Amino acid sequence: MSTAKPINVYSIPELNQTLDEALPSIFARLNYERSYALLDTKLYIGYSIAVVAGLSFFLDKKFERSEIILYQKLLVGAYVVLSLMFWYFTRFVEKGTVYTGKNRDTKEEIYVKTKFEKNEPLYLVGLIQKKKGNSSRKDLKTKLEVNKVFNESGYLQNEVLFKWFSEQLNVLATKKNI
C-alpha cells in the first residue's frame, strides 16, 4: 500500500510531513488509540492567550484609558504569564512529540518524537513507553533511512513502514525499564 501521491524524496520537509502523517494509521494497526491530551493542553493555553488579548482590546475600545489602566496592567501580566506557560509547555513538556497513544489491551502509553538533522535522509525516531499506574518507562532512539520506506517514484510504502515500527516496538518491549 502506498500514499495517493508521490513526494519529492529530496525535500526534508516533505519527508517529515509525510512520515509524521502516517504515524496515526501505523499505530492504529499496532492497537494504539491516539491521545490528544498534549494537543488539547496546548490549545487551551493558546485560546487563553487569545481571550486575554481580546479582552484587553475590548476594554481599550469601550472605556477611557484612565478607567482601565489597572485592568490593562493585570491583563498584560496575565498575557506574559500565559505566553511563558505556552513556551515552557512546547519546549519542555511536549518536546517535539508528534504522536501519543494508548494501547487498548495493555494500557501502555506511547510517545513518538521525530526529527531530521543536518538535512540527511535519516528519520530520527524516539519512542517512549510508559505503563499506566506505574512509574516504569522505556526509551528507544533509532534511525530510519527514508529510502527504505519510499520507492524511487516517491511513494510511501506503508507496509514497510508498519513493519519497521512493529520491529522497533518489539525491541522496546525487550528493553529494561528505566
Side-chain angles (χ1 to χ4, degrees), residues 116-130:
F116 281 88
E117 281 188 354
K118 302 176 192 166
N119 291 326
E120 293 182 22
L122 290 174
Y123 191 54
L124 305 175
V125 179
L127 298 170
I128 301 169
Q129 190 177 55
K130 296 179 182 178

Side-chain angles (χ1 to χ4, degrees), residues 84-113:
L84 286 172
M85 284 175 54
F86 188 82
W87 171 81
Y88 181 84
F89 183 81
T90 56
R91 179 78 183 236
F92 298 107
V93 177
E94 189 181 42
K95 292 190 274 187
T97 302
V98 294
Y99 178 85
T100 57
K102 294 180 183 173
N103 190 304
R104 296 179 192 116
D105 299 331
T106 62
K107 305 297 183 205
E108 293 172 336
E109 295 177 331
I110 189 89
Y111 297 86
V112 182
K113 299 177 181 194

Side-chain angles (χ1 to χ4, degrees), residues 48-60:
S48 299
I49 291 170
V51 166
V52 167
L55 186 58
S56 175
F57 177 78
F58 174 77
L59 290 175
D60 196 39

Side-chain angles (χ1 to χ4, degrees), residues 119-177:
N119 291 326
E120 293 182 22
L122 290 174
Y123 191 54
L124 305 175
V125 179
L127 298 170
I128 301 169
Q129 190 177 55
K130 296 179 182 178
K131 291 227 184 226
K132 190 166 183 143
N134 192 337
S135 63
S136 67
R137 169 185 165 151
K138 297 179 184 180
D139 286 8
L140 176 67
K141 292 184 180 183
T142 185
K143 299 175 184 177
L144 170 65
E145 294 178 28
V146 294
N147 62 351
K148 291 183 178 181
V149 293
F150 285 93
N151 64 17
E152 300 85 28
S153 302
Y155 289 97
L156 176 63
Q157 300 171 335
N158 285 322
E159 203 56 45
V160 176
L161 186 62
F162 170 77
K163 183 179 177 190
W164 186 83
F165 270 104
S166 180
E167 290 170 359
Q168 301 313 309
L169 287 177
N170 287 337
V171 169
L172 188 62
T174 61
K175 289 187 81 168
K176 293 190 179 212
N177 295 337

